[in-house]
């Protein structure tokens, strides 16, 4: 019986070490943000993932959007609700939740370079495969 308990304990430690989503040490908002970042930028660099997280947090801190991270992430057709994340996306989520930003505070919108471009008028910066804007390009 002791061998079974020790074996299960070892399996749990292994799972937590190599599969971050199995561990229960992360709070809900951090995991939700990491999943969103991963859904948008899983093949992108850490800097791009940080920029995507920055847009989310800029919205939380803006008077024009909801004040709660969950409410911002749940806005219709704004951010995907992913089911997975990786270590880099989790690290970017931790960084932006701790106040780190790599875009100015008026960068509130993003657009994949693979989508139809919004143009240069309100583009704040381009990072990786994304452009970041201060105003919605659909206006």
């Amino acid at each position: 019986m002791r061998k079974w308990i020790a074996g299960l304990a070892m399996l749990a430690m292994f799972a937590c070490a190599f599969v971050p989503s199995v561990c229960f040490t992360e709070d809900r908002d951090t995991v939700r943000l990491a999943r969103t970042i991963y859904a948008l930028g899983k093949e992108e660099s850490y800097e791009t993932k940080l920029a995507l997280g920055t847009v989310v947090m800029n919205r939380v801190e803006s008077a024009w959007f909801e004040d709660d991270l969950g409410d911002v992430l749940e806005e219709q057709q704004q951010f995907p609700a992913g089911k997975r994340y990786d270590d880099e996306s989790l690290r970017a989520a931790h960084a932006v939740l701790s106040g780190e930003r790599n875009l100015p505070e008026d960068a509130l919108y993003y657009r994949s370079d693979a989508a139809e471009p919004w143009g240069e008028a309100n583009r704040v910066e381009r990072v990786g495969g994304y452009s970041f804007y201060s105003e919605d390009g659909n206006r």
Side-chain angles (χ1 to χ4, degrees):
M1 184 66 154
R2 287 184 185 174
K3 289 181 181 180
W4 280 99
I5 293 172
L8 287 174
M10 293 292 286
L11 182 63
M13 288 182 2
F14 176 79
C16 285
F18 294 102
V19 183
S21 62
V22 173
C23 294
F24 297 101
T25 59
E26 301 298 336
D27 67 282
R28 186 170 187 230
D29 282 345
T30 304
V31 172
R32 287 178 72 189
L33 182 56
R35 288 176 176 167
T36 297
I37 292 169
Y38 182 78
L40 288 168
K42 62 183 151 208
E43 301 296 326
E44 295 286 341
S45 69
Y46 175 76
E47 288 302 313
T48 305
K49 290 176 182 179
L50 190 63
L52 292 165
T54 296
V55 167
V56 173
M57 294 311 296
N58 282 353
R59 287 189 183 195
V60 171
E61 295 164 0
S62 170
W64 297 101
F65 295 92
E66 298 292 331
D67 294 337
D68 180 72
L69 177 62
D71 292 340
V72 167
L73 292 176
E74 290 173 4
E75 286 183 53
Q76 287 189 349
Q77 300 180 9
Q78 296 299 304
F79 298 101
K83 295 184 188 239
R84 302 184 68 198
Y85 63 94
D86 61 3
D87 288 335
E88 200 168 64
S89 299
L90 184 62
R91 189 169 55 119
H94 277 290
V96 296
L97 287 169
S98 297
E100 186 176 339
R101 306 286 189 269
N102 65 348
L103 296 173
E105 65 185 30
D106 65 340
L108 299 171
Y109 301 92
Y110 67 94
R111 188 84 168 165
S112 169
D113 290 346
E116 183 179 326
W118 282 344
E120 301 292 322
N122 297 315
R123 185 175 8 199
V124 174
E125 196 167 327
R126 186 170 180 278
V127 182
Y130 283 88
S131 292
F132 298 91
Y133 297 88
S134 61
E135 289 187 32
D136 185 338
N138 291 319
R139 296 179 194 194

